[in-house]
Amino acid sequence: MSKTSTIKELWFFLKVRKRFWLAPILIILFLLSVLIIFAQTSAISPFIYTIF
């Protein structure tokens, strides 16, 4: 199963079941996971740590 089909299937679920309130939660989780990955592996990690 490819990544795009998973995203399409998730969007279809949200649309059909009228669960649009889940979208902001999923977006926040995605952004936090990207922030954690960048905080561990990049040169900008000291700047990220100063934010928190």
Side-chain angles (χ1 to χ4, degrees), residues 14 17-26:
L14 292 174
R17 305 274 189 218
K18 306 289 189 231
R19 304 273 192 231
F20 291 113
W21 58 271
L22 285 174
I25 296 170
L26 294 174

Side-chain angles (χ1 to χ4, degrees), residues 22-45:
L22 285 174
I25 296 170
L26 294 174
I27 291 170
I28 296 284
L29 286 174
F30 174 75
L31 291 175
L32 283 175
S33 64
V34 167
L35 180 67
I36 289 171
I37 290 170
F38 277 127
Q40 292 178 357
T41 61
S42 71
I44 62 169
S45 59

Side-chain angles (χ1 to χ4, degrees), residues 9 11 15 18 20 22 25 37 40 47-48 51-52:
E9 187 173 335
W11 175 251
K15 191 169 79 172
K18 306 289 189 231
F20 291 113
L22 285 174
I25 296 170
I37 290 170
Q40 292 178 357
F47 302 110
I48 294 173
I51 294 173
F52 299 105

